[in-house]
Amino acid sequence: MPLTGKIAGALIIAISILALFSPMLTSHEPEKIALDSIKQPPGPGHLFGTDNKGRDIFSRVLYGGRISISIAIIAAFISMSIGLLIGLCAGYFGGIVDTLVMAIVDLILAFPSLLLAIGVSIIFPPGIYTVMIAIAFVGWASFARLIRGQVLTLKDAAYIEAARAIGCSRARILFVHLMPQCLPIGLVMAGIKLGGYVLTEASLSFLGLGAQPPMPTWGSMISMNRAYIASEPWMVLFPGLAIAVTTLCFNMLGDALRDKYGLPATAEKIKI
Amino acid sequence: MVGERAQPEVIEKIRKELGTDKNVLAQYAGYVKLLLTGEMGRSYFTNRKVLDDILIKFPNTIKLAFGAMLIAVPIGLFLGFLAAYKRNTPADRIISSLSILGLSLPVFWSGLLLMLFFSLRLRLFPPSGTGDLSFLVLPALTLSLPAIATLVRITRTSVIETADMPFINTARAKGLSVFKINSVHIFRNVLIPLVTVIGLDFGSYLNGAVLTETIFGWDGIGRFTMDGIIKRDYPVIMGCIIIGTIVFVLINLMVDILYHYLDPRVRLYAPDR
């Protein structure tokens, strides 16, 4: 793995530790309103300053990281599981199942992903679970396509034929013989996708469709504080920096993984 | 639509007006009939015709999409070529890192930073609103950042791939000038993935750059759709989706037709049939 990938990996571990142990790293409560210390610039008392309700931005960024990163990881896991299952079936059974599944996959991949995620997140009441569902609803398609391709090349391998010959059931071939071969590439894909998922989560919560206040998320901090950008820019600067650095690290790691495992360098889905 | 304490008769009357008292199939048939007459119904909230609103907002979205592409395509291509020719030098590393950065910046944040710097500090452009060219610069610039990043990556990869092909060696061996190899042999081959990516980007911008339009108060399709979704204004949502789908199909068709001119291999020859 190239140096950038290693650095990115190390930074991701550092960010995760910061997010995981945020209660120990900051003495300020992220949701506590302190009207005697509103709009304070960054300084020793408040590392990143305070917002218009006197809440400490440093601790809000740390706690927000917990939410954003865990949503991205869980959404990646759900997408991978659904994509794995559907891709396995589509690749193995072929025929009408394959045609149908691939038509749906093409449909989802052709549609602007953010609009689709917004549409899905409207169906359920806003919250962290809704964001996961929305991301996974859009995300499973690229996993399904990748896994299907993998299954198509494996399907005619000698060991699958042998399994069929000794009378293995379809379920056994699918889940015992094919799935372990597809899981690693699925995990690599999940790593590649994480950066995009962090960005999608931030975008949805920026639009007010993510975790609801007073829970701090990076996206909602930017959207709530953007009226103060001229006078108190730190309120917007630090949450955005958190999104940018986290996404950058995940994307760099994703690139390194892509190079290492020789996945096609498809264009990243742009968040508009 | 009627408030919390509406009389049952009023609710019944509105259901009749909207046709929601009929079953789903009848409603769908009604909508298709409406579409065939070139109408999309009226918004539940403003009672304005959806198609009229779309026709007002769509030109704004087209302006923004074109603006972003006008910035993104030349810069993206130039930097991508540069990175490919200076492969594995510091210049390449800087450009490649910047392109990953471009993909990682949330547009609603980079847009705000651009706004802070160019309109609030330097007072060069108006911070938000829809209007003439000066209103367009900042949103188009914001939208172009991720597009530039994608284009750089695609250009760099395809140029490197093409330059390693045997026919480039042949071209070099037969003594063609460097300029001719680049402009004719490499560029033609790189164009094909580029056209695909540009088409996809353009199509999704025409479907509405929701975040950019929200930040800059740009009165386009993206914000219109978003407002419709949040208010559950179904005629608006359906209208936007239908227009968006048509635009997407048209763009894809145009890309496919362009392939015909760009790549002789995909041309359909009459003698083969």
Side-chain angles (χ1 to χ4, degrees), chain B residues 43 90 96 168 214:
Chain B
S43 159
S96 299
I168 298 295
T214 308

Side-chain angles (χ1 to χ4, degrees), chain A residues 38-224:
Chain A
I38 61 168
K39 298 182 184 175
Q40 289 193 355
H46 298 281
L47 211 52
F48 289 176
T50 59
D51 67 4
N52 60 326
K53 294 192 180 71
R55 295 176 291 196
D56 180 53
I57 291 184
F58 179 65
S59 57
R60 283 178 74 74
V61 166
L62 286 188
Y63 277 85
R66 290 180 134 183
I67 297 170
S68 299
I69 296 172
S70 35
I71 287 182
I73 291 176
I74 296 174
F77 185 75
I78 301 174
S79 306
M80 190 192 75
S81 313
I82 301 176
L84 191 63
L85 196 66
I86 294 182
L88 274 173
C89 292
Y92 187 71
F93 294 121
I96 182 97
V97 183
D98 189 32
T99 315
L100 203 68
V101 167
M102 281 303 118
I104 299 172
V105 165
D106 283 340
L107 197 72
I108 288 181
L109 291 181
F111 207 77
S113 59
L114 189 63
L115 272 184
L116 198 58
I118 291 172
V120 173
S121 56
I122 286 297
I123 302 173
F124 307 99
I128 50 176
Y129 299 109
T130 306
V131 178
M132 293 174 196
I133 296 172
I135 297 178
F137 185 87
V138 184
W140 69 270
S142 35
F143 286 93
R145 165 169 286 180
L146 182 78
I147 301 294
R148 170 188 174 264
Q150 185 81 355
V151 172
L152 284 183
T153 56
L154 288 173
K155 194 161 91 168
D156 300 322
Y159 77 101
I160 298 292
E161 210 181 331
R164 211 177 291 137
I166 59 170
C168 287
S169 68
R170 273 181 185 167
R172 193 179 165 82
I173 293 177
L174 272 179
F175 295 109
V176 179
H177 295 287
L178 282 173
M179 200 164 86
Q181 294 291 317
C182 297
L183 201 58
I185 201 169
L187 283 171
V188 169
M189 185 77 165
I192 292 172
K193 289 276 169 187
L194 272 175
Y197 291 169
V198 171
L199 214 50
T200 311
E201 187 278 332
S203 309
L204 287 175
S205 57
F206 173 80
L207 292 169
L209 303 169
Q212 294 298 298
M215 211 186 252
T217 63
W218 295 338
S220 65
M221 286 169 80
I222 294 181
S223 95
M224 277 187 276

Side-chain angles (χ1 to χ4, degrees), chain B:
Chain B
M1 285 177 79
V2 288
E4 276 177 33
R5 292 184 203 164
Q7 303 290 329
E9 304 90 72
V10 181
I11 296 180
E12 205 43 49
K13 187 173 155 259
I14 289 191
R15 285 180 64 120
K16 274 238 164 62
E17 267 178 34
L18 295 176
T20 43
D21 52 340
K22 296 177 209 140
N23 68 28
V24 179
L25 279 179
Q27 286 186 42
Y28 181 68
Y31 189 71
V32 172
K33 214 183 269 175
L34 197 67
L35 278 183
L36 288 177
T37 58
E39 286 289 332
M40 290 181 161
R42 288 171 182 274
S43 159
Y44 288 167
F45 289 86
T46 59
N47 206 29
R48 289 165 55 86
K49 282 187 179 167
V50 171
L51 192 64
D52 291 354
D53 271 354
I54 289 180
L55 288 180
I56 294 174
K57 290 164 200 291
F58 198 57
N60 289 331
T61 295
I62 294 182
K63 266 188 232 166
L64 183 58
F66 263 109
M69 280 300 155
L70 272 182
I71 302 174
V73 172
I75 299 182
L77 286 189
F78 176 73
L79 291 180
F81 263 93
L82 195 66
Y85 286 118
K86 308 266 174 194
R87 191 172 2 165
N88 297 330
T89 64
D92 174 30
R93 282 194 201 101
I94 291 171
I95 294 174
S96 299
S97 326
L98 282 180
S99 75
I100 304 187
L101 187 67
L103 285 176
S104 309
L105 290 180
V107 287
F108 51 89
W109 186 64
S110 54
L112 281 172
L113 293 187
L114 287 175
M115 195 195 282
L116 176 67
F117 189 68
F118 285 107
S119 53
L120 301 175
R121 291 273 188 275
L122 298 181
R123 306 207 170 269
L124 284 176
F125 304 106
S128 71
T130 318
D132 58 13
L133 200 64
S134 64
F135 284 91
L136 181 63
V137 175
L138 285 183
L141 195 61
T142 307
L143 201 51
S144 72
L145 290 180
I148 293 175
T150 320
L151 284 174
V152 166
R153 287 161 69 97
I154 298 286
T155 314
R156 180 180 178 274
T157 324
S158 340
V159 168
I160 289 177
E161 260 171 29
T162 315
D164 287 343
M165 298 237 181
F167 72 88
I168 298 295
N169 272 339
T170 313
R172 210 170 277 141
K174 74 181 183 186
L176 289 184
S177 70
V178 176
F179 177 77
K180 189 145 192 212
I181 293 175
N182 285 328
S183 60
V184 178
H185 291 80
I186 294 184
F187 190 65
R188 281 279 305 251
N189 281 285
V190 172
L191 266 180
I192 295 152
L194 277 180
V195 164
T196 316
V197 171
I198 293 173
L200 270 179
D201 274 4
F202 198 60
S204 64
Y205 291 166
L206 286 180
N207 267 280
V210 184
L211 296 168
T212 313
E213 286 179 5
T214 308
I215 283 286
F216 289 99
W218 189 259
D219 192 21
I221 288 284
R223 254 175 73 203
F224 190 52
T225 318
M226 180 70 202
D227 282 349
I229 291 176
I230 284 186
K231 291 184 192 154
R232 302 232 183 341
D233 198 345
Y234 293 113
V236 171
I237 304 176
M238 289 194 290
C240 290
I241 289 179
I242 288 173
I243 294 290
T245 315
I246 294 174
V247 167
F248 226 97
V249 170
L250 284 182
I251 296 267
N252 276 326
L253 181 70
M254 264 154 50
V255 168
D256 282 350
I257 294 175
L258 271 178
Y259 281 163
H260 173 86
Y261 291 104
L262 294 177
D263 189 351
R265 283 166 297 186
V266 299
R267 262 174 227 167
L268 301 172
Y269 285 107
D272 293 346
R273 324 217 115 199

